[in-house]
Amino acid sequence: MTATLEFAVLGDRVDRSLSPVIHNAALRAAGLVGAYRAIRADRPRLELAVGALRSGRLAGFNVTMPLKRDAFELADALTEEASTAGSVNAMRLAEGLVEGHSTDGPALARFIDRLAGSGDTPILVLGAGATAAIALAVSGDHPVYISARRFAQAAELAKRGVHAEAIVWGSAVAGALVVNTTPLGMTGEVLPQGIVETAMGLLDLPYGARPTPAVDLATAQGTPTVDGVEFLLAQAVDSFRWWTGIEPSLDAMLRAARKV
């Protein structure tokens, strides 16, 4: 009898998540018997999921807002990527230990390198949460400007970076790669005027039923862009490979994501 592999994504805003769609497509393409579902969760529900990993009822799961730091604290062991990120967005059982991993960091690093390259291109990070902290951690020698509605939170995060400073929310940085880690755009919200207009590139993490206004604007003005679906796919590929040891079909995952 073939075992059924059970996977999930846990967090507060998972009702619109594309993760089940793309991971279930990857499972089918790989010929694996299993399912991936979305579970709305708080810290106690996350703790139950960790218990399900220990018992074998779950083969692995992703973690999203606002539980990435909680997952970091609950892990028995951390990968190098999770230690660098200071948060966890994927968990599995390995040699009897619940292991925490971050696919956010490698994905952000790859896209920052693609869009900004090396050198002194400034990076404007919107938001000051867990994903913003990861963007700062993988920014290398780029000067980083952190902008959040709560300036104190941005200032606190900026202290972790050698080349980082906090700026007032809504301020534009000419020639910067904009990394939007906030939910703005997920349901049609716009970023403050001037931010995208003066950017040299846009890495926009929110996604919804259609491109965000920021992505539409960047595309119209010819600014290089990575949208939230592309970022999600990059994380999903890394998670699937980490859980199963199998290289997933990116084509199958992309078709599933774009069809929704």
Side-chain angles (χ1 to χ4, degrees):
M1 183 177 177
T2 303
T4 299
L5 300 172
E6 296 290 341
F7 300 96
V9 57
L10 287 85
D12 182 44
R13 301 179 179 183
V14 294
D15 54 321
R16 299 180 182 179
S17 174
L18 285 177
S19 291
V21 172
I22 60 181
H23 278 286
N24 283 318
L27 287 166
R28 290 192 298 270
L32 297 175
V33 179
Y36 184 112
R37 59 197 173 104
I39 301 173
R40 188 171 184 181
D42 52 11
R43 169 100 181 207
R45 185 64 187 81
L46 176 61
E47 292 172 355
L48 290 176
V50 169
L53 275 182
R54 295 190 194 281
S55 68
R57 287 179 289 124
L58 278 175
F61 60 82
N62 288 123
V63 180
T64 187
M65 300 183 297
L67 299 175
K68 294 181 180 183
R69 185 66 196 180
D70 295 278
F72 183 90
E73 295 170 356
L74 290 171
D76 300 326
L78 298 168
T79 64
E80 180 180 349
E81 293 83 359
S83 295
T84 298
S87 65
V88 159
N89 77 330
M91 304 191 87
R92 70 178 182 185
L93 191 68
E95 298 181 356
L97 298 176
V98 172
E99 188 176 24
H101 181 44
S102 174
T103 62
D104 285 327
L108 280 169
R110 290 196 298 271
F111 289 129
I112 287 173
D113 185 63
R114 181 207 293 183
L115 294 170
S118 57
D120 57 0
T121 300
I123 297 174
L124 172 58
V125 177
L126 303 181
T131 307
I134 298 169
L136 175 60
V138 301
S139 62
D141 292 330
H142 292 278
V144 179
Y145 299 89
I146 301 171
S147 180
R149 289 178 177 178
R150 297 179 181 177
F151 181 82
Q153 191 175 1
E156 188 62 30
L157 177 56
K159 292 178 183 178
R160 303 186 198 177
V162 178
H163 310 288
E165 68 174 274
I167 61 175
V168 174
W169 176 254
S171 301
V173 177
L177 167 62
V178 175
V179 181
N180 178 24
T181 72
T182 77
L184 292 176
M186 189 174 291
T187 55
E189 305 90 349
V190 298
L191 296 180
Q193 187 174 5
I195 287 179
V196 177
E197 289 89 340
T198 60
M200 60 74 62
L202 173 67
L203 175 48
D204 198 36
L205 304 192
Y207 63 84
R210 63 174 312 281
T212 66
V215 167
D216 280 341
L217 175 58
T219 301
Q221 66 188 27
T223 302
T225 301
V226 170
D227 68 13
V229 172
E230 187 174 358
F231 181 75
L232 180 67
L233 283 168
Q235 295 179 82
V237 166
D238 288 348
S239 293
F240 191 93
R241 186 191 303 118
W242 188 65
W243 291 324
T244 67
I246 296 172
E247 189 67 31
S249 169
L250 181 58
D251 286 344
M253 298 167 85
L254 181 58
R255 286 196 303 271
R258 297 299 188 191
K259 189 185 298 183
V260 175

